[in-house]
Amino acid sequence: MAPENATQVTEFVFIGFSDLPELQIPLFLVFLLIYGLTVIGNLGIITLTSVDSRFQTHIYFFLRHLAIINFSNSTVIAPKMLVNFLVSNKTTSYYECATQMGAFLVFIVAEVFMLAVIAYDRYVAICKPLLYLAVVSWRICLLLVFLTYLYSFSTAVVVSSCVFSVSYCASNVINHFYCDNVPLLALSCSDTYIPETVVFISATMNILFSMTIVLVSYFNIVLSILRMRSSEGRKKAFSTCASHMMAVTVFYGTLLFMYLQPRSCHSLDTDKMASVFYTLLIPMLNPMIYSLRNKDVKAALRKFMGNLCCSHKTMQF
């Protein structure tokens, strides 16, 4: 049947992680725990950096927005995925799928560039401390965050429009746990050269540009740490730098694996495993890596929770 005479798909069906009934509840509990920790960690950072005057600084301003992005990205994916573990009819409408993919692209692109902004901020703070307030002023901070969201939204509109401009009239079964461009384009019954090219060029530019900023920034930070006279200071700085680099390595590594390999080399089952890292695990780990390891943050969090408990007891009496 010719594509123009075929019936257009109106809904998609997710395969998810497994179609084995005995695995659905264990997988549901595992990912519910991951999502719960993601929500608690990121909302905790958002609240703490908003209400505590000690954290009204440039770096915590960026970390607050990273937490907003991580929380939003996981929330776009996880609730629908969790519901699908418990139901037999794992469907999503055409427009719901388009909305999910568009929202996911907004936040994943925003995270890519927010990590680059944080790396640049740390580079200036450590390597050029006397110029910090001049180079990274509040006006520059606001501009960087605004441009990050504007660019990520624009990218999502362009890529989503290209992916959903092709015809879906054959299979509607998505070998994934959310609507992503790679498994979706694999279902198309029309020519996908243009959308695949747009996805590849967009992913290449975004990942390589931001990754270059991150690598150059942390390379200079490491050189600066090596020049420190205090061995204790070097050890502490290396510990922090190593945890940051571990997080960005896993994040960028899985994105590179997912989007910058030829279509002929794609294994959708392997792609699902890679997607878990940057949609669920990294958003859960980022609060711990970037914020909750900090002594001031832990002290402020204990104080905040203590005040909440005291307020709750007072209301009871």
Side-chain angles (χ1 to χ4, degrees):
M1 182 180 291
E4 59 270 17
N5 296 326
T7 303
Q8 180 72 17
V9 167
T10 59
E11 67 176 17
F12 295 99
V13 179
F14 295 113
I15 289 182
F17 287 97
S18 172
D19 56 359
L20 296 175
E22 61 271 19
L23 291 179
Q24 302 308 303
I25 296 301
L27 287 172
F28 170 80
L29 294 175
V30 169
F31 286 107
L32 179 64
L33 175 62
I34 291 173
Y35 181 59
L37 292 174
T38 301
V39 170
I40 293 170
N42 286 289
L43 287 184
I45 297 302
I46 294 167
T47 303
L48 201 62
T49 56
S50 299
V51 302
D52 197 313
S53 59
R54 287 176 293 179
F55 303 115
Q56 305 306 309
T57 60
H58 300 75
I59 183 58
Y60 286 107
F61 174 73
F62 293 135
L63 290 175
R64 178 161 66 246
H65 281 279
L66 179 63
I68 292 170
I69 291 166
N70 285 159
F71 169 75
S72 302
N73 195 22
S74 288
T75 301
V76 166
I77 305 298
K80 180 71 174 179
M81 180 190 69
L82 290 171
V83 169
N84 285 340
F85 282 126
L86 304 178
V87 299
S88 57
N89 189 24
K90 300 176 173 60
T91 61
T92 183
S93 71
Y94 181 90
Y95 294 105
E96 185 182 7
C97 186
T99 302
Q100 185 187 51
M101 193 183 78
F104 163 73
L105 288 172
V106 169
F107 296 117
I108 198 68
V109 174
E111 183 171 0
V112 163
F113 283 95
M114 191 57 64
L115 289 173
V117 167
I118 290 171
Y120 176 72
D121 175 85
R122 292 299 82 200
Y123 158 71
V124 178
I126 294 172
C127 301
K128 301 182 184 297
L130 297 179
L131 298 175
Y132 183 74
L133 293 179
V135 175
V136 191
S137 64
W138 276 113
R139 181 177 295 180
I140 295 297
C141 290
L142 291 170
L143 180 63
L144 288 172
V145 170
F146 172 74
L147 290 176
T148 295
Y149 287 125
L150 178 64
Y151 178 76
S152 61
F153 179 77
S154 302
T155 301
V157 169
V158 171
V159 174
S160 297
S161 300
C162 287
V163 172
F164 282 91
S165 67
V166 299
S167 298
Y168 295 96
C169 49
S171 173
N172 68 336
V173 179
I174 303 176
N175 189 10
H176 217 303
F177 57 92
Y178 69 97
C179 291
D180 196 12
N181 47 58
V182 174
L184 268 171
L185 288 173
L187 300 179
S188 177
C189 56
S190 59
D191 184 21
T192 59
Y193 176 77
I194 291 178
E196 283 181 351
T197 303
V198 170
V199 169
F200 182 80
I201 292 174
S202 174
T204 301
M205 290 175 56
N206 294 338
I207 295 173
L208 295 184
F209 178 71
S210 62
M211 191 169 65
T212 300
I213 296 173
V214 170
L215 291 176
V216 170
S217 297
Y218 280 113
F219 177 76
N220 284 283
I221 289 171
V222 169
L223 290 181
S224 181
I225 292 171
L226 290 173
R227 297 190 190 104
M228 290 181 178
R229 295 182 178 180
S230 169
S231 59
E232 185 177 345
R234 282 199 304 271
K235 183 178 179 181
K236 183 179 179 181
F238 266 124
S239 174
T240 302
C241 189
S243 62
H244 290 191
M245 285 302 297
M246 178 186 69
V248 298
T249 298
V250 173
F251 179 72
Y252 283 109
T254 51
L255 286 177
L256 287 168
F257 175 82
M258 182 74 179
Y259 293 106
L260 300 189
Q261 58 176 313
R263 181 174 176 177
S264 58
C265 299
H266 266 290
S267 166
L268 294 178
D269 289 327
T270 307
D271 287 350
K272 280 190 286 188
M273 296 301 103
S275 299
V276 170
F277 283 93
Y278 59 78
T279 60
L280 299 169
L281 291 180
I282 293 297
M284 179 189 71
L285 294 173
N286 275 344
M288 292 181 275
I289 291 171
Y290 285 97
S291 301
L292 296 178
R293 296 174 74 248
N294 185 293
K295 291 181 180 179
D296 292 334
V297 173
K298 287 191 282 189
L301 191 60
R302 283 195 294 267
K303 182 180 178 181
F304 180 72
M305 295 304 295
N307 290 338
L308 281 180
C309 291
C310 290
S311 300
H312 181 66
K313 290 179 180 178
T314 304
M315 289 177 65
Q316 286 182 328
F317 285 108

